[in-house]
Amino acid sequence: MPGEVTVRLGFTAPMDFAHTLAYLRLRTVPAFESITDTAYTRTMHTAGGPVRFTLWDAGDAIECHLELRDTRDIEVALRRIRFLLDLDADPVAIDALLSSDPAVAALVLKRPGLRSPGAVDGFEIAVRGIIGQQISVQAARMRLNQIVTDYGSDAMPDGLAKLFPTPAQFAAINPEALAMPRSRARSLIALAETCASGGLTLGPEADRDAEHAILLALHGIGPWTAEYIRMRAMGDPDILLTTDLGLLRAAQKRGISLEQRRADISPWRSYLSNHLWAAHPPPPGSPHSPPTTEAARRSPTGVRTERTSEPCLTATG
């Protein structure tokens, strides 16, 4: 039975919801997302049909308005939304450990309770990550919007009318029809086929190590992209992307050491990654920067097949 409901989503304070909105704003794809200064709206798949939700800050909670094809999907929808916003994090413990480094403490003081955003659709995050390689933020968003417009299912009769394609829908796309380099199109189709067959779940319940290895075995996915997917789609709180050029520059500017992959702040290294990106967000039109120290995969011609940096990729990923 279709229906609408508004729910208050609790969290442990503090929480920097304004930054979460800014994070999502950089990645907004108009075919299925919209954002204002105070609220975020998007669609997603559930077993009973499409869902549209809107989130806004209510002070001591996040208000969530849901429109559902089947109200039996409320519980799973809310679980995914909590994961997207990282509402179940313990910011007191995280901020305390990060603040043990005086240089990092300055970032925490500026954004207490900063979250590490997850996803409502892990496959979508992986697609965003692959498409975001080697092109500008704006170009990646336009490409994603065209794919969702062309291949996504209809969601709602008004407003946000599309859903991000499922793995099965994506796997059925002719790679020649995708407006991108052929090798990247093949990577996307291989990813979609693996997800559609059950080889990857790309969710918080995933076996992170096993799925990380499967991702690395796919054409066009290198260590940076696999770790980024692991952080956002699988909710790993302990990812520090030390090969990311933008993150390295931010750390250097702030006098923050990344030696030994900062084992001293494990298991919360994803939050350091997010603090560094928040401190130095990218211009929307900036191109992607390559990883620095990682051994990037190359095509037979010697051209990198994975060339990404979070300050650019996060606008699409």
Side-chain angles (χ1 to χ4, degrees):
M1 177 183 296
E4 299 186 28
V5 63
T6 300
V7 179
R8 289 173 63 86
L9 304 176
F11 56 83
T12 299
M15 179 173 178
D16 190 343
F17 185 66
H19 175 72
T20 300
L21 282 181
Y23 185 100
L24 296 172
R25 181 176 293 109
L26 284 174
R27 301 154 181 76
T28 301
V29 177
F32 64 99
E33 296 176 289
S34 69
I35 195 163
T36 68
D37 289 340
T38 59
Y40 172 71
T41 301
R42 68 160 290 161
T43 61
M44 66 177 174
H45 293 275
T46 58
V51 172
R52 178 167 58 192
F53 63 86
T54 299
L55 307 170
W56 66 94
D57 191 356
D60 61 348
I62 303 298
E63 292 276 359
C64 173
H65 181 74
L66 290 164
E67 301 169 69
L68 306 103
R69 183 74 56 82
D70 189 335
T71 54
R72 291 175 294 183
D73 290 326
I74 289 175
E75 182 178 352
V76 67
L78 293 178
R79 189 163 58 246
R80 291 187 196 173
I81 292 166
R82 293 191 66 85
F83 180 67
L84 168 69
L85 299 181
D86 195 22
L87 292 184
D88 296 316
D90 182 351
V92 177
I94 294 165
D95 288 0
L97 184 56
L98 294 183
S99 296
S100 62
D101 180 333
V104 179
L107 299 181
V108 175
L109 185 63
K110 185 173 183 179
R111 296 182 179 85
L114 184 75
R115 296 311 205 255
S116 180
V120 298
D121 181 346
F123 171 68
E124 174 195 317
I125 291 297
V127 170
R128 285 175 181 256
I130 293 171
I131 287 180
Q133 296 172 1
Q134 295 182 302
I135 60 176
S136 73
V137 171
Q138 188 61 30
R141 291 172 66 183
M142 290 174 62
R143 194 163 291 172
L144 280 160
N145 197 68
Q146 190 62 55
I147 288 171
V148 177
T149 300
D150 291 345
Y151 302 105
S153 300
D154 292 335
M156 301 293 176
D158 64 305
L160 295 173
K162 289 291 183 179
L163 291 158
F164 195 87
T166 65
Q169 288 173 322
F170 217 109
I173 298 173
N174 179 356
E176 302 290 335
L178 295 173
M180 62 184 67
R182 189 168 300 175
S183 63
R184 189 155 305 121
R186 290 200 304 268
S187 297
L188 289 171
I189 300 304
L191 171 73
E193 290 172 345
T194 304
C195 290
S197 68
L200 285 166
T201 62
L202 300 181
E205 73 289 345
D207 180 328
R208 294 170 183 161
D209 290 341
E211 298 210 4
H212 191 169
I214 294 170
L215 286 168
L216 288 174
L218 294 176
H219 171 78
I221 296 182
W224 191 99
T225 303
E227 288 194 338
Y228 180 76
I229 294 168
R230 179 169 177 155
M231 180 172 66
R232 287 207 61 193
M234 302 182 217
D236 192 331
D238 203 27
I239 296 295
L240 182 62
L241 294 170
T242 54
T243 60
D244 183 279
L245 181 58
L247 188 150
L248 290 172
R249 286 174 173 168
Q252 183 178 31
K253 184 174 182 179
R254 296 277 175 162
I256 296 172
S257 171
L258 300 182
E259 291 184 4
Q260 298 181 340
R261 296 182 65 88
R262 293 308 302 258
D264 57 312
I265 57 171
S266 178
W268 307 125
R269 287 177 285 188
S270 294
Y271 296 88
L272 176 56
S273 294
N274 278 278
H275 271 291
L276 290 169
W277 292 325
H280 299 279
S286 61
H288 288 270
S289 301
T292 53
T293 59
E294 78 174 38
R297 294 182 176 187
R298 296 176 180 272
S299 71
T301 62
V303 177
R304 292 179 185 268
T305 58
E306 184 189 57
R307 184 184 179 198
T308 55
S309 175
E310 170 66 13
C312 299
L313 183 66
T314 53
T316 61

